[in-house]
Amino acid sequence: MKKFLSIAFGLLGLLLVSVTTPSCSMDWEQIVPDDHNPSEKTKEPQTNESPDSNDISKNPGSKKPETVPPGTAVPVPLKNGFEMTFQFENNTKGKYSDDRIYICVIGLNSSNQFCYLNPSGELVRIEANQQSDAWSYKLNKLGAGFQIPKTMASGRLYISMDNPVVMRGVVDAGGRIGVVQPDLNNPSDPNANLIFDWIEFTVQWGGFWGNTTQVDQFCFPITMAMYNDEGYYRTVGITKTRDQIFAAFKKEMPQKFGTLVHEPYRIVAPCKGDFRNGKKYSSYMKSYVDQVWNYYRNHTEVVKHPLGNFKLSAEGDKLVFTCTEGYGTATVGQKYYIQAKPTSDELFEGSGVLATGNLVELALQAQVCAALNRHVAETPSNWAKPETYYKAEPCNMYAKFWHEHSIEGFAYGYCYDDVADQSSLIETHSPRALVIGIGY
């Protein structure tokens, strides 16, 4: 998920980088550690002033009312030398007993090496050809959960039913250890018929950044309740049952998006299904992309961003951001580009022309990618107004659904859903305990 570092840590840096195709979604098989650490995402200062309606640097988006009561869990004891704890609640209502639920936690240690986490908090280096059976624990064997070390970056915590998620350690051409993780585009993947899901997190510099995610798929509902040093902090995720989610998706989605239901296993993201390049609905967004590019060939709009102010227009098939005021990174008079119209994969997965260039271009491409998915690309004044999103097709109806069925309306329906603070990211600089609710 590592696209750009200082621009939006909400992508979390899960920071698992493909050795073939960088992407913020699970579009790869083999992943290896990146050579950088994630950067902290700083929050915008809060004021009582009304933000400029066209200023995405000041308007983080309006949050929905709280829809879950404050958490009442008692954090398990924290041992000396560790940052926080992870613990679990089995909310499957008897459908899966603790001895049928498997937990596997992998990530990078302070030396940027792939490791698995054991319950005592030890990060054990993953070796070449090592199978994930060695990294997986039944829920009934975990007791008080996991102690979490001071540094564990690019983390994924996998939860699966009846069998562990199948992964293995591999060595790339440069001699680095990577991990072969599930590939949802491969029907012969050993996890294709496994019920599994995951959360993402980084623990570093005394802080926690983590989220639930539907960027690639939904398999069963998960909640994350964070407790920091002051007590209960926040909960994100989905509280509805699996059956309720599947039924609602089939009822509410247009026919094209209904094809993303792959029963009895999962609901997949558009480009894990028939919206992928070359497949049946790969041209679904094309008319809107053409409309947006045509608009900017004939109009110029102003975009205000934390990196600077820009005039947005089009030159042929390039979108051009001309900097009129720079705040350090962006240079006045410099032009920053989206080099071509995005394909279906690039638009839905934030890849290719929407993830190419320097830091300024990456930041602006994230904004445009989000605006295209939300069908607000022609109106920068709406880029940070969630109430205007998904009002017309074509748009990312898959992402829209998760916002409508998640706590407070926050969800990761695609990789740049953190634009305008609409993702399920939890960020705290005094983490104490994460309580992970496993639903069904």
Side-chain angles (χ1 to χ4, degrees):
M1 286 180 66
K2 184 173 182 180
K3 289 291 187 139
F4 50 94
L5 299 177
S6 60
I7 301 152
F9 189 76
L11 293 183
L12 240 209
L14 281 178
L15 314 179
L16 300 177
V17 179
S18 170
V19 296
T20 53
T21 307
S23 174
C24 58
S25 62
M26 186 186 285
D27 203 21
W28 54 83
E29 184 179 64
Q30 180 180 340
I31 55 177
V32 297
D34 189 55
D35 294 329
H36 301 83
N37 287 324
S39 295
E40 179 177 339
K41 179 182 179 181
T42 55
K43 293 183 178 180
E44 296 296 325
Q46 299 299 307
T47 71
N48 293 323
E49 300 176 0
S50 298
D52 183 331
S53 63
N54 193 28
D55 191 346
I56 58 178
S57 71
K58 296 180 181 178
N59 188 348
S62 58
K63 293 189 176 183
K64 283 61 169 191
E66 178 71 44
T67 57
V68 294
T72 58
V74 177
V76 299
L78 177 64
K79 297 179 180 179
N80 289 336
F82 293 91
E83 188 63 56
M84 62 181 297
T85 56
F86 285 0
Q87 64 198 76
F88 301 88
E89 291 180 347
N90 184 342
N91 298 327
T92 65
K93 299 180 180 179
K95 292 186 177 180
Y96 285 91
S97 56
D98 287 0
D99 63 344
R100 297 178 61 194
I101 300 175
Y102 287 82
I103 309 295
C104 177
V105 189
I106 62 173
L108 303 177
N109 64 14
S110 58
S111 298
N112 211 34
Q113 298 164 324
F114 262 112
C115 300
Y116 69 88
L117 182 69
N118 66 25
S120 65
E122 181 185 8
L123 286 172
V124 183
R125 284 189 61 185
I126 293 172
E127 303 295 338
N129 299 314
Q130 187 180 34
Q131 301 296 312
S132 54
D133 286 356
W135 322 334
S136 303
Y137 302 89
K138 287 186 177 182
L139 187 57
N140 68 325
K141 302 295 185 182
L142 283 177
F146 291 89
Q147 300 288 315
I148 306 301
K150 297 289 186 180
T151 298
M152 186 173 185
S154 307
R156 277 188 175 170
L157 186 152
Y158 285 98
I159 305 168
S160 58
M161 305 303 180
D162 289 327
N163 290 288
V165 174
V166 179
M167 299 179 283
R168 62 184 173 86
V170 292
V171 182
D172 76 344
R176 299 177 300 172
I177 298 293
V179 179
V180 177
Q181 296 195 46
D183 180 2
L184 296 180
N185 285 314
N186 179 8
S188 62
D189 186 278
N191 300 288
N193 296 335
L194 181 68
I195 302 295
F196 74 98
D197 221 310
W198 65 91
I199 66 168
E200 306 170 329
F201 68 93
T202 282
V203 176
Q204 202 164 30
W205 309 311
F208 171 91
W209 295 261
N211 56 272
T212 56
T213 177
Q214 286 79 50
V215 168
D216 295 288
Q217 63 142 31
F218 167 87
C219 203
F220 51 83
I222 298 173
T223 58
M224 291 170 41
M226 172 57 69
Y227 294 75
N228 58 24
D229 291 344
E230 290 73 45
Y232 172 75
Y233 178 58
R234 186 184 175 202
T235 301
V236 297
I238 296 172
T239 60
K240 296 176 181 178
T241 69
R242 187 177 195 264
D243 286 346
Q244 288 173 330
I245 291 294
F246 270 74
F249 196 92
K250 288 187 283 187
K251 178 180 179 181
E252 297 171 17
M253 287 294 99
Q255 182 273 332
K256 292 181 177 66
F257 285 86
T259 63
L260 300 176
V261 178
H262 291 188
E263 288 184 305
Y265 301 108
R266 65 197 86 254
I267 301 170
V268 299
C271 287
K272 303 299 181 290
D274 284 343
F275 293 78
R276 192 166 184 81
N277 286 350
K279 292 203 170 184
K280 186 174 182 179
Y281 301 124
S282 61
S283 63
Y284 170 74
M285 292 294 295
K286 184 178 184 303
S287 63
Y288 183 56
V289 171
D290 289 343
Q291 176 180 315
V292 170
W293 258 247
N294 287 336
Y295 177 83
Y296 284 111
R297 289 188 186 105
N298 298 293
H299 299 83
T300 298
E301 296 285 352
V302 174
V303 174
K304 297 182 179 181
H305 187 276
L307 298 179
N309 295 340
F310 303 84
K311 289 184 177 180
L312 173 58
S313 60
E315 297 175 358
D317 281 349
K318 295 181 180 180
L319 284 192
V320 183
F321 291 82
T322 303
C323 182
T324 58
E325 186 176 359
Y327 304 141
T329 305
T331 302
V332 174
Q334 179 73 38
K335 292 183 177 182
Y336 301 94
Y337 294 94
I338 295 175
Q339 294 288 346
K341 296 178 183 179
T343 65
S344 185
D345 287 4
E346 292 170 336
L347 189 153
F348 283 118
E349 297 195 328
S351 62
V353 297
L354 296 178
T356 301
N358 57 47
L359 286 175
V360 177
E361 289 172 328
L362 292 173
L364 297 171
Q365 289 161 10
Q367 296 288 333
V368 172
C369 182
L372 289 168
N373 276 274
R374 296 164 174 170
H375 200 104
V376 293
E378 297 151 292
T379 314
S381 60
N382 288 339
W383 288 8
K385 292 181 179 179
E387 66 274 14
T388 67
Y389 300 164
Y390 309 114
K391 296 300 184 183
E393 285 196 71
C395 68
N396 190 339
M397 297 293 287
Y398 172 87
K400 176 179 185 286
F401 178 86
W402 301 116
H403 288 283
E404 293 176 343
H405 292 272
S406 297
I407 295 170
E408 296 181 318
F410 294 104
Y412 253 121
Y414 59 98
C415 62
Y416 289 134
D417 231 345
D418 59 321
V419 169
D421 283 354
Q422 294 305 294
S423 74
S424 55
L425 174 70
I426 292 179
E427 174 185 347
T428 178
H429 299 277
S430 57
R432 169 57 185 85
L434 185 70
V435 180
I436 302 160
I438 304 169
Y440 206 83

